[in-house]
Amino acid sequence: MIEDKNQSRTSLSSLGEFKLIEHLTGGTVIHHEDTFKGIGDDCAVLGTGDIQTLVTTDLLVEGVHFDLSYMPLKHLGYKAVMVNLSDIYAMNGIAKQITVSLAVSNRFPLEALEELYAGIHLACKAYNVDLVGGDTTSSTKGLLLSITAIGEANKNDVVFRNGAKSNDLLVVTGDLGAAYLGLQVLEREKQVFQVDPNTEHELDKYTYLVERQLKPEARKDVVKLLSDLEVKPTSMIDISDGLSSEILHLCKQSKTGCQVYEEKIPLDQEVISTCEEFNMDSTTIALSGGEDYELLFTVKQEDFPKIKANPNFSIIGHMTEDAGIVQLVTRGGQMVDIEAQGWNALE
Ligand code: ADP
Ligand code: MG
């Protein structure tokens, strides 16, 4: 791809995030037998014994992933932990420790970082996780926050992205699209505020949306619930980039296709009414919105009785043998091909 070291420059945007990761890591050599699963899932899976260790990391950058004009630092700290724990739960594991690395400019007073850590500590307490290390350094501009989460699971319980089979049911937890709409509401308020700082903020109507954007909860409860129901998903991923992108990941890695039913996609009433108000299509928002931090998984048909009546779960489709072909069955019965669109695509 890089043809001439001096002349040619390949722009990163021409590759996109996933191709870039593939390009950079494609030749990775594994040296250790206990690197059970390296790059390519929600977590790396380490160890050859009965209990395996799960590791995941995420980097959040001011101005890219968060805007401090409407994201309180305490919420940012809490959310940054959730983003990582969600990846542990997506492997069907239990989160145990985190490390927190911080690059911060002089613009931030001590009190601001105390707020950030109040959120981190709160998340650790609520999710029974220990803060065990990190790194602190200066940045020339803004705040960068990187968290690594460590977890564990019995080897037999770990769920990967690649285990889905044709005819498995596709299940999603919670509801979708609210976090993205919450961001739209906050962005709109910010612009109104910039024009006239005395304008009254009208966020009451959007409480759920704003909460989903500013204080997401990772689905630790779902890991326990699945265990209580004695259901082991055949594949699982967390919804950080939007339903369509995550379905495509499951299908690509499992070498299956998928049919998703538009009418089955779970939407909160606030999502439906706000989409009407903003003249947006709620299905598009659910498919491409992102940041919901729900879990998306597949189960065998025979597990249907165990999950069908559970209010935490929505069965939204099934896997097919047409590898790579992901279709939305619309309310009108039409088949529409789904293509990847991370939440950036909506910006
Ligand atoms: P997620 O959305 O679950 O956080 P990503 O899409 O960020 O996962 O990453 C996909 C896979 O690529 C993961 O296994 C991740 O650890 C790996 N990965 C991402 N960036 C890099 C990088 N710069 N170097 C090595 N591995 C990476
Ligand atoms: Mg993930």
Side-chain angles (χ1 to χ4, degrees), residues 41-43 56 58 83-84 86-88 90-91 161 236-241 246 293:
D41 218 300
D42 291 290
C43 292
T56 179
D58 260 293
V83 170
N84 281 276
S86 181
D87 279 321
I88 301 272
M91 305 302 290
R161 293 178 178 180
M236 185 148 62
I237 189 168
D238 77 323
I239 302 192
S240 46
D241 290 338
E246 314 304 0
Y293 301 107

Side-chain angles (χ1 to χ4, degrees), residues 225-239:
L225 185 57
L226 288 170
S227 156
D228 291 348
L229 292 170
E230 296 180 8
V231 172
K232 183 187 173 190
T234 52
S235 69
M236 185 148 62
I237 189 168
D238 77 323
I239 302 192

Side-chain angles (χ1 to χ4, degrees), residues 60-318:
L60 300 179
V61 178
E62 185 180 357
V64 179
H65 299 101
F66 58 89
D67 181 334
L68 291 174
S69 55
Y70 50 72
M71 175 62 120
L73 279 155
K74 187 171 175 181
H75 286 75
L76 175 64
Y78 192 90
K79 181 169 174 174
V81 178
M82 289 308 120
V83 170
N84 281 276
L85 300 191
S86 181
D87 279 321
I88 301 272
Y89 304 139
M91 305 302 290
N92 206 26
I94 298 300
K96 297 188 82 176
Q97 291 92 9
I98 58 163
T99 64
V100 176
S101 297
L102 202 60
V104 63
S105 78
N106 261 330
R107 185 182 110 218
F108 293 88
L110 171 65
E111 289 71 16
L113 298 184
E114 284 174 352
E115 277 296 299
L116 180 74
Y117 268 74
I120 292 172
H121 289 305
L122 184 63
C124 285
K125 189 168 175 224
Y127 284 76
N128 197 27
V129 166
D130 300 332
L131 171 61
V132 295
D135 197 21
T136 308
T137 187
S138 58
S139 108
T140 48
K141 197 165 167 262
L143 177 70
L144 294 90
L145 180 62
S146 173
I147 296 190
T148 296
I150 299 155
E152 68 176 32
N154 286 325
K155 188 176 181 184
N156 294 332
D157 292 339
V158 179
V159 176
F160 297 92
R161 293 178 178 180
N162 65 6
K165 296 276 184 298
S166 178
N167 292 324
D168 283 356
L169 301 172
L170 182 68
V171 185
V172 69
T173 64
D175 54 71
L176 301 176
Y180 175 78
L181 286 179
L183 182 65
Q184 300 312 302
V185 167
L186 290 165
E187 289 276 359
R188 192 178 67 163
E189 285 301 305
K190 180 184 168 187
Q191 276 164 21
V192 172
F193 184 78
Q194 278 170 346
V195 174
D196 178 5
N198 296 318
T199 311
E200 290 275 316
H201 282 248
E202 274 187 44
L203 289 175
D204 290 0
K205 255 169 61 183
Y206 312 110
T207 322
Y208 181 64
L209 308 183
V210 170
E211 187 178 303
R212 292 282 282 177
Q213 172 58 223
L214 295 185
K215 195 170 180 287
E217 302 288 351
R219 298 307 305 258
K220 181 186 182 194
D221 58 325
V222 169
V223 174
K224 164 116 188 2
L225 185 57
L226 288 170
S227 156
D228 291 348
L229 292 170
E230 296 180 8
V231 172
K232 183 187 173 190
T234 52
S235 69
M236 185 148 62
I237 189 168
D238 77 323
I239 302 192
S240 46
D241 290 338
L243 180 63
S244 60
S245 159
E246 314 304 0
I247 294 176
L248 284 157
H249 282 309
L250 290 186
C251 286
K252 188 175 174 203
Q253 297 215 16
S254 297
K255 302 188 174 62
T256 64
C258 182
Q259 287 192 348
V260 192
Y261 291 82
E262 182 179 23
E263 62 180 352
K264 304 285 187 195
I265 296 173
L267 302 171
D268 186 84
Q269 191 51 46
E270 227 172 82
V271 167
I272 295 168
S273 58
T274 308
C275 277
E276 274 169 20
E277 185 192 337
F278 288 12
N279 209 8
M280 289 172 160
D281 175 43
S282 56
T283 304
T284 307
I285 299 303
L287 286 172
S288 306
E291 291 203 283
D292 293 311
Y293 301 107
E294 296 293 342
L295 296 175
L296 177 73
F297 57 91
T298 54
V299 296
K300 294 192 186 111
Q301 292 264 354
E302 66 203 52
D303 286 328
F304 174 68
K306 296 183 185 167
I307 54 168
K308 65 173 181 191
N310 196 298
N312 288 285
F313 301 142
S314 299
I315 300 167
I316 58 170
H318 61 270

